[in-house]
Every structure is written in C-alpha cells, then in structure tokens.
Amino acid sequence: ELKVEQNPLFLSMQEGKNYTIYCNYSTTSDRLYWYRQDPGKSLESLFVLLSNGAVKQEGRLMASLDTKARLSTLHITAAVHDLSATYFCAVDTGNQFYFGTGTSLTVIP
Amino acid sequence: DGGITQSPKYLFRKEGQNVTLSCEQNLNHDAMYWYRQDPGQGLRLIYYSQIVNDFQKGDIAEGYSVSREKKESFPLTVTSAQKNPTAFYLCASSSNQPQHPIDLPQHFGDGTRLSIL
C-alpha cells in the first residue's frame, strides 16, 4: 500500500521565520503536487513537480522534488500570517492520487 | 469559466435516509473522484471513475454508491448503511490527456458539508 507521510503535522511559527515541510512517499513517481486548504474551504493547487530535481517558487513558498529519495519539500521563507493554512502533498501514480496527511501551519505575529 | 460545481453546500440527513451529493464539471475531464474529509484529517478516497459508465471503489466505499452516466456528472449517494456520515465531502476531476502541466493535478469543487439531524 502506498504511503504518503508529511511532517510535521502541526507547525506554529513566528512571522519572519523560515521553515520546511517534508513529504515522503513509498512508491516510484515523478509527479507530485502541493495544495493549500484554508479552513472550511476546498483545496487549491499550488505547485506541480514533474521530474527529479524540479523546483518551483511562488512568493514565499518554494517546492522541490527528489524522486530518488522519494521526498518533496515545501520551504517557507519569512512567513507571514496569510500563509496560515493546511498544506497537502499528493503523489500521482498515473492511476490514482495519494494525499499526505496534511500540515497545519499557523503563523503568529 | 470552467470548474467543478458541488451542491448543495450544506446537507442534513435524517436517520435511515439516503442523500445524494451532486458534482458537475465542465472541464472536459475524464476522471472524477470523491473524497471524505473529517475534521483535522486528510482526504480519504471513496470512489473514483476514469471513464463514463465505469467506477472503482476507493479506500472507504462502504455505505456509499456512485454512478457515472455522463462525463460531466459524478453524483455520490450516502446511504443509510453509512452510520457516521458527518464529514466534508470533496469532489475532484482530472484529465487523462493533459495538454499542459497545469492540467495534471486534480481540480476540486468547493465541497459539501454533511451533518446528521
């Protein structure tokens, strides 16, 4: 059974600080996506990572993919309150999407 | 604009009642999915369909049923056999023949929040 594990599950960080969220998965795949979910809302696609070494950046968020290590990271730079949300990674095997457990991020002043 | 429409936004179920959640997409996507999300939890796959008139069970299909008679529509019925239906239900779709990388991830509807009366 394919497993997608994120850590940490909960993250509380101060504004202006940096932190990294990790997504480990247990099968071979070169397609990985990151989503954001605000409380009570649906999921919004953030990043599409399609090959080993892929790096994408949008504002204060940067995502990367290492297919050999089966690891993706979401790095937060100089956090601001607007980034408070739950972040999910999802592995695309071509047949199904497998979602991580989610990381609930709270940015405090 | 293209997208996924889920209705209703809120739904209440009486004991012993079946209820149906609607999911319609105009993205011309082949594949559609239903997920359940409990408070503070991740997404669990209920059913998915890669093509019209075909669907497969996900990880938690018991107590649910679906149909896929049209490409655009993938309704989910929560039956009385589902004893704990209170959750946030999300419908998603994806393309089997994406023209651009942005088409690869699943696109999600706004969700239906189901509660028991």
Side-chain angles (χ1 to χ4, degrees):
Chain A
E1 179 185 334
L2 189 152
K3 291 186 177 179
V4 183
E5 296 179 337
Q6 286 181 237
N7 69 83
L9 297 182
F10 299 94
L11 176 57
S12 181
M13 57 189 298
Q14 284 189 311
E15 280 189 331
K17 297 293 186 181
N18 304 335
Y19 207 84
T20 300
I21 299 170
Y22 297 89
C23 173
N24 291 87
Y25 54 99
S26 63
T27 192
T28 302
S29 175
D30 56 4
R31 293 183 178 182
L32 189 136
Y33 316 123
W34 283 94
Y35 291 86
R36 168 181 172 142
Q37 185 180 35
D38 291 297
K41 303 293 186 181
S42 187
L43 276 71
E44 172 192 357
S45 177
L46 291 176
F47 296 110
V48 176
L49 302 169
L50 300 178
S51 61
N52 185 41
V55 177
K56 294 285 181 70
Q57 182 162 5
E58 181 74 33
R60 301 173 187 274
L61 299 177
M62 183 173 71
S64 66
L65 178 62
D66 182 342
T67 59
K68 294 180 181 178
R70 299 180 184 176
L71 171 69
S72 180
T73 62
L74 181 65
H75 186 73
I76 303 154
T77 302
V80 293
H81 179 69
D82 285 351
L83 291 179
S84 296
T86 299
Y87 294 86
F88 291 94
C89 61
V91 176
D92 178 1
T93 63
N95 293 321
Q96 278 195 47
F97 291 71
Y98 294 86
F99 284 82
T101 46
T103 296
S104 178
L105 170 64
T106 302
V107 180
I108 53 178
Chain B
D1 287 353
I4 301 175
T5 302
Q6 288 187 244
S7 62
K9 190 170 183 178
Y10 300 96
L11 185 59
F12 297 91
R13 194 192 87 169
K14 295 180 181 178
E15 190 173 340
Q17 184 183 40
N18 293 350
V19 292
T20 297
L21 285 61
S22 171
C23 179
E24 304 276 333
Q25 54 99 358
N26 61 2
L27 299 167
N28 198 32
H29 284 172
D30 300 292
M32 297 186 74
Y33 311 79
W34 274 106
Y35 293 92
R36 169 178 172 143
Q37 187 177 34
D38 291 283
Q41 304 293 315
L43 279 69
R44 291 188 290 169
L45 183 64
I46 306 173
Y47 269 98
Y48 65 102
S49 168
Q50 297 282 3
I51 196 169
V52 174
N53 292 323
D54 188 43
F55 49 83
Q56 284 78 42
K57 293 182 179 180
D59 301 320
I60 56 165
E62 187 173 349
Y64 301 95
S65 66
V66 293
S67 63
R68 187 85 187 276
E69 297 177 2
K70 298 187 300 181
K71 187 176 185 178
E72 303 78 21
S73 178
F74 191 40
L76 173 73
T77 296
V78 184
T79 74
S80 57
Q82 174 49 248
K83 298 304 180 186
N84 184 23
T86 299
F88 188 45
Y89 290 86
L90 286 162
C91 177
S93 69
S94 65
S95 174
N96 289 345
Q97 296 179 322
Q99 300 299 309
H100 189 276
I102 199 172
D103 296 325
L104 282 168
Q106 291 181 340
H107 292 70
F108 284 84
D110 288 337
T112 292
R113 198 165 297 277
L114 176 61
S115 302
I116 299 178
L117 278 178

